[in-house]
Amino acid sequence: MKESREPDRGVADTFRSPRVFVRGDLVRPGMVLTMLGTTDELSEAIARTQWRPWAEGSYVSHAGMFVERLPGGHWTFFEADDAGTGTAIPPSCLTFECGGTQQWTVFPDAAAGYVYEHPGLAARVEADPAGTGAQLKKLTDEYHEVYSHYVRLAGAAGVYGPMARGVLSRKQRERDEAEGALSPRGHEGVFCSEAVTLVLEGMNCPAFEGEVSAATVGPGDFAVSELVAVEGAVRVETAERMGLTPARWAECEKLRRAEREGGLALLNKQVRANKVLEERVKAMEAVAREHSEMMARFRAEMARFREKLGG
């Protein structure tokens, strides 16, 4: 693929560094994107434990799935992260001129990316794109919950030592302090690669042979799965290619973090969390009503029993 023209300064000011671009015209419903996240030290730790020297795409820390193409070239993207589990629209899409017009979806918190698809699911999309896409959308729409407890990531990474679990527990406490009811005790949720694995299973296109628990699948495992890599679907822009000075790079980093902490991700998280809490409140109210009805029946029986004794 030819190099694109160098983006102008307006693009550099708009999209935070580093960034991964996924070519929209090559994407189909059900394709999986794995990424190397850049948000904190946890992403790097997950990538290290997932890495296999013989599989380039295994050095990643996050996974999600493309679900539905929207007008204007945008895609809804299914994933589980600190913002919750469900579908959202990636930040934006950008057009490059590469011997023609190509649209690229931007993932600003990723330093590397790989796109895969399941051959069976790809065949179904080709044969019945509308029906398969609707089935996939219906399945992913069922997921609206908080993110997994961090300690569950140890099982997917194959790390069971007390030190690693201690670090994950500390990260969990920090998240609970920041988000309160979004991480209630006893509700574990799902993590990113677990969610993608469950959706593929729900579409009868499992990513792995045999009986593999979704809770043991890490993002790097998709590089050695039944999924097939989609060539030419990803490009990574760097500070050098974007023509950014070190000072400007640092400035973009600050803006990116501020955007993540106070922008759309927070709003999405609150909306999803409200849905989860609303369902829990309804369940608690149902239990309370049942207990109240049982107490009413008990009191009625006791009253009849006293009448018999009195008579």
Side-chain angles (χ1 to χ4, degrees), residues 11-19 106-109 248 251-253 255-257 259:
V11 172
D13 287 344
T14 302
F15 298 103
R16 311 308 180 214
S17 309
R19 61 187 61 75
V106 186
F107 291 84
D109 287 329
R248 181 58 180 152
E251 183 182 346
C252 284
E253 277 291 290
L255 289 171
R256 179 186 62 76
R257 288 198 177 138
E259 183 181 70

mmCIF file of all heavy atoms in Angstrom, residues 11-19 106-109 248 251-253 255-257 259:
data_model
loop_
_atom_site.group_PDB
_atom_site.id
_atom_site.type_symbol
_atom_site.label_atom_id
_atom_site.label_comp_id
_atom_site.label_asym_id
_atom_site.label_seq_id
_atom_site.Cartn_x
_atom_site.Cartn_y
_atom_site.Cartn_z
ATOM 1 N N VAL A 11 -4.987 17.888 11.606
ATOM 2 C CA VAL A 11 -5.159 16.483 11.984
ATOM 3 C C VAL A 11 -4.321 16.172 13.206
ATOM 4 O O VAL A 11 -4.757 15.510 14.146
ATOM 5 C CB VAL A 11 -4.777 15.566 10.808
ATOM 6 C CG1 VAL A 11 -4.766 14.120 11.253
ATOM 7 C CG2 VAL A 11 -5.757 15.753 9.663
ATOM 8 N N ALA A 12 -3.085 16.647 13.229
ATOM 9 C CA ALA A 12 -2.200 16.394 14.360
ATOM 10 C C ALA A 12 -2.775 16.977 15.636
ATOM 11 O O ALA A 12 -2.601 16.433 16.721
ATOM 12 C CB ALA A 12 -0.824 17.001 14.093
ATOM 13 N N ASP A 13 -3.469 18.113 15.519
ATOM 14 C CA ASP A 13 -4.056 18.731 16.699
ATOM 15 C C ASP A 13 -5.301 17.983 17.166
ATOM 16 O O ASP A 13 -5.660 18.040 18.323
ATOM 17 C CB ASP A 13 -4.445 20.188 16.394
ATOM 18 C CG ASP A 13 -3.215 21.092 16.297
ATOM 19 O OD1 ASP A 13 -2.147 20.658 16.760
ATOM 20 O OD2 ASP A 13 -3.337 22.192 15.740
ATOM 21 N N THR A 14 -5.973 17.270 16.239
ATOM 22 C CA THR A 14 -7.244 16.631 16.554
ATOM 23 C C THR A 14 -7.077 15.251 17.169
ATOM 24 O O THR A 14 -7.759 14.901 18.128
ATOM 25 C CB THR A 14 -8.103 16.511 15.283
ATOM 26 O OG1 THR A 14 -8.289 17.816 14.746
ATOM 27 C CG2 THR A 14 -9.451 15.887 15.590
ATOM 28 N N PHE A 15 -6.150 14.450 16.653
ATOM 29 C CA PHE A 15 -6.013 13.067 17.092
ATOM 30 C C PHE A 15 -4.820 12.898 18.005
ATOM 31 O O PHE A 15 -3.707 13.311 17.697
ATOM 32 C CB PHE A 15 -5.902 12.139 15.876
ATOM 33 C CG PHE A 15 -7.117 12.186 15.018
ATOM 34 C CD1 PHE A 15 -7.120 12.883 13.829
ATOM 35 C CD2 PHE A 15 -8.282 11.575 15.426
ATOM 36 C CE1 PHE A 15 -8.255 12.945 13.047
ATOM 37 C CE2 PHE A 15 -9.423 11.638 14.652
ATOM 38 C CZ PHE A 15 -9.414 12.326 13.470
ATOM 39 N N ARG A 16 -5.053 12.302 19.156
ATOM 40 C CA ARG A 16 -4.031 12.182 20.198
ATOM 41 C C ARG A 16 -3.032 11.089 19.838
ATOM 42 O O ARG A 16 -3.338 10.153 19.137
ATOM 43 C CB ARG A 16 -4.677 11.872 21.548
ATOM 44 C CG ARG A 16 -5.855 12.782 21.902
ATOM 45 C CD ARG A 16 -5.499 14.253 21.793
ATOM 46 N NE ARG A 16 -6.629 15.092 22.138
ATOM 47 C CZ ARG A 16 -6.890 16.255 21.572
ATOM 48 N NH1 ARG A 16 -6.112 16.704 20.616
ATOM 49 N NH2 ARG A 16 -7.926 16.955 21.946
ATOM 50 N N SER A 17 -1.842 11.186 20.387
ATOM 51 C CA SER A 17 -0.766 10.244 20.091
ATOM 52 C C SER A 17 -0.593 9.278 21.248
ATOM 53 O O SER A 17 -0.750 9.669 22.399
ATOM 54 C CB SER A 17 0.542 10.993 19.884
ATOM 55 O OG SER A 17 0.386 12.036 18.972
ATOM 56 N N PRO A 18 -0.166 8.053 20.994
ATOM 57 C CA PRO A 18 -0.067 7.416 19.675
ATOM 58 C C PRO A 18 -1.437 6.967 19.192
ATOM 59 O O PRO A 18 -2.396 7.031 19.934
ATOM 60 C CB PRO A 18 0.858 6.226 19.931
ATOM 61 C CG PRO A 18 0.602 5.880 21.350
ATOM 62 C CD PRO A 18 0.292 7.176 22.060
ATOM 63 N N ARG A 19 -1.496 6.472 17.978
ATOM 64 C CA ARG A 19 -2.784 6.115 17.423
ATOM 65 C C ARG A 19 -2.677 4.961 16.426
ATOM 66 O O ARG A 19 -1.667 4.807 15.753
ATOM 67 C CB ARG A 19 -3.403 7.323 16.724
ATOM 68 C CG ARG A 19 -2.570 7.844 15.590
ATOM 69 C CD ARG A 19 -3.099 9.129 15.028
ATOM 70 N NE ARG A 19 -3.122 10.198 15.991
ATOM 71 C CZ ARG A 19 -2.041 10.848 16.400
ATOM 72 N NH1 ARG A 19 -0.863 10.491 15.961
ATOM 73 N NH2 ARG A 19 -2.134 11.817 17.254
ATOM 74 N N VAL A 106 -10.128 5.607 13.760
ATOM 75 C CA VAL A 106 -9.018 5.952 14.649
ATOM 76 C C VAL A 106 -9.222 5.346 16.042
ATOM 77 O O VAL A 106 -10.299 5.467 16.625
ATOM 78 C CB VAL A 106 -8.896 7.481 14.782
ATOM 79 C CG1 VAL A 106 -7.659 7.847 15.589
ATOM 80 C CG2 VAL A 106 -8.865 8.135 13.419
ATOM 81 N N PHE A 107 -8.161 4.718 16.564
ATOM 82 C CA PHE A 107 -8.127 4.236 17.946
ATOM 83 C C PHE A 107 -6.944 4.939 18.631
ATOM 84 O O PHE A 107 -5.803 4.491 18.523
ATOM 85 C CB PHE A 107 -7.981 2.714 17.990
ATOM 86 C CG PHE A 107 -9.206 1.992 17.504
ATOM 87 C CD1 PHE A 107 -9.397 1.765 16.146
ATOM 88 C CD2 PHE A 107 -10.191 1.568 18.386
ATOM 89 C CE1 PHE A 107 -10.526 1.115 15.675
ATOM 90 C CE2 PHE A 107 -11.333 0.918 17.927
ATOM 91 C CZ PHE A 107 -11.502 0.698 16.565
ATOM 92 N N PRO A 108 -7.206 6.055 19.335
ATOM 93 C CA PRO A 108 -6.111 6.922 19.784
ATOM 94 C C PRO A 108 -5.316 6.403 20.974
ATOM 95 O O PRO A 108 -4.264 6.942 21.265
ATOM 96 C CB PRO A 108 -6.834 8.221 20.142
ATOM 97 C CG PRO A 108 -8.204 7.789 20.530
ATOM 98 C CD PRO A 108 -8.526 6.619 19.658
ATOM 99 N N ASP A 109 -5.801 5.372 21.674
ATOM 100 C CA ASP A 109 -5.074 4.870 22.845
ATOM 101 C C ASP A 109 -4.357 3.564 22.554
ATOM 102 O O ASP A 109 -4.148 2.754 23.449
ATOM 103 C CB ASP A 109 -6.041 4.658 24.022
ATOM 104 C CG ASP A 109 -6.490 5.979 24.622
ATOM 105 O OD1 ASP A 109 -5.697 6.937 24.571
ATOM 106 O OD2 ASP A 109 -7.615 6.055 25.129
ATOM 107 N N ARG A 248 5.463 18.841 21.571
ATOM 108 C CA ARG A 248 4.090 18.711 21.102
ATOM 109 C C ARG A 248 3.536 17.328 21.422
ATOM 110 O O ARG A 248 2.352 17.164 21.751
ATOM 111 C CB ARG A 248 4.056 18.964 19.578
ATOM 112 C CG ARG A 248 2.668 18.874 18.970
ATOM 113 C CD ARG A 248 1.702 19.840 19.609
ATOM 114 N NE ARG A 248 0.386 19.734 19.025
ATOM 115 C CZ ARG A 248 -0.743 20.012 19.660
ATOM 116 N NH1 ARG A 248 -0.702 20.434 20.905
ATOM 117 N NH2 ARG A 248 -1.897 19.891 19.066
ATOM 118 N N GLU A 251 2.461 17.342 24.946
ATOM 119 C CA GLU A 251 1.221 18.109 25.062
ATOM 120 C C GLU A 251 0.023 17.267 24.635
ATOM 121 O O GLU A 251 -1.033 17.281 25.287
ATOM 122 C CB GLU A 251 1.327 19.366 24.199
ATOM 123 C CG GLU A 251 0.114 20.278 24.307
ATOM 124 C CD GLU A 251 0.237 21.494 23.404
ATOM 125 O OE1 GLU A 251 1.366 21.755 22.917
ATOM 126 O OE2 GLU A 251 -0.782 22.147 23.170
ATOM 127 N N CYS A 252 0.187 16.520 23.543
ATOM 128 C CA CYS A 252 -0.886 15.645 23.072
ATOM 129 C C CYS A 252 -1.208 14.552 24.087
ATOM 130 O O CYS A 252 -2.366 14.171 24.264
ATOM 131 C CB CYS A 252 -0.499 15.017 21.731
ATOM 132 S SG CYS A 252 -0.617 16.138 20.329
ATOM 133 N N GLU A 253 -0.172 14.048 24.753
ATOM 134 C CA GLU A 253 -0.391 13.035 25.790
ATOM 135 C C GLU A 253 -1.272 13.580 26.904
ATOM 136 O O GLU A 253 -2.190 12.913 27.376
ATOM 137 C CB GLU A 253 0.958 12.574 26.361
ATOM 138 C CG GLU A 253 1.635 11.500 25.534
ATOM 139 C CD GLU A 253 0.868 10.199 25.606
ATOM 140 O OE1 GLU A 253 0.847 9.549 26.663
ATOM 141 O OE2 GLU A 253 0.255 9.836 24.592
ATOM 142 N N LEU A 255 -3.412 16.060 26.723
ATOM 143 C CA LEU A 255 -4.757 16.260 26.200
ATOM 144 C C LEU A 255 -5.500 14.941 26.069
ATOM 145 O O LEU A 255 -6.697 14.850 26.357
ATOM 146 C CB LEU A 255 -4.673 16.956 24.836
ATOM 147 C CG LEU A 255 -4.244 18.422 24.856
ATOM 148 C CD1 LEU A 255 -4.000 18.921 23.447
ATOM 149 C CD2 LEU A 255 -5.287 19.282 25.545
ATOM 150 N N ARG A 256 -4.783 13.902 25.625
ATOM 151 C CA ARG A 256 -5.417 12.597 25.458
ATOM 152 C C ARG A 256 -5.921 12.066 26.794
ATOM 153 O O ARG A 256 -7.036 11.551 26.899
ATOM 154 C CB ARG A 256 -4.423 11.601 24.843
ATOM 155 C CG ARG A 256 -4.993 10.201 24.666
ATOM 156 C CD ARG A 256 -3.941 9.226 24.204
ATOM 157 N NE ARG A 256 -2.869 9.090 25.158
ATOM 158 C CZ ARG A 256 -2.949 8.403 26.301
ATOM 159 N NH1 ARG A 256 -4.076 7.797 26.617
ATOM 160 N NH2 ARG A 256 -1.931 8.327 27.119
ATOM 161 N N ARG A 257 -5.111 12.195 27.836
ATOM 162 C CA ARG A 257 -5.510 11.694 29.152
ATOM 163 C C ARG A 257 -6.689 12.487 29.702
ATOM 164 O O ARG A 257 -7.617 11.928 30.284
ATOM 165 C CB ARG A 257 -4.324 11.768 30.099
ATOM 166 C CG ARG A 257 -3.283 10.709 29.753
ATOM 167 C CD ARG A 257 -2.314 10.451 30.872
ATOM 168 N NE ARG A 257 -1.426 9.382 30.456
ATOM 169 C CZ ARG A 257 -0.135 9.371 30.670
ATOM 170 N NH1 ARG A 257 0.420 10.377 31.293
ATOM 171 N NH2 ARG A 257 0.616 8.368 30.277
ATOM 172 N N GLU A 259 -8.912 14.005 27.947
ATOM 173 C CA GLU A 259 -10.060 13.631 27.127
ATOM 174 C C GLU A 259 -10.638 12.308 27.606
ATOM 175 O O GLU A 259 -11.851 12.132 27.709
ATOM 176 C CB GLU A 259 -9.616 13.521 25.671
ATOM 177 C CG GLU A 259 -10.729 13.205 24.698
ATOM 178 C CD GLU A 259 -10.182 13.088 23.279
ATOM 179 O OE1 GLU A 259 -9.467 12.091 23.010
ATOM 180 O OE2 GLU A 259 -10.442 13.967 22.463
#
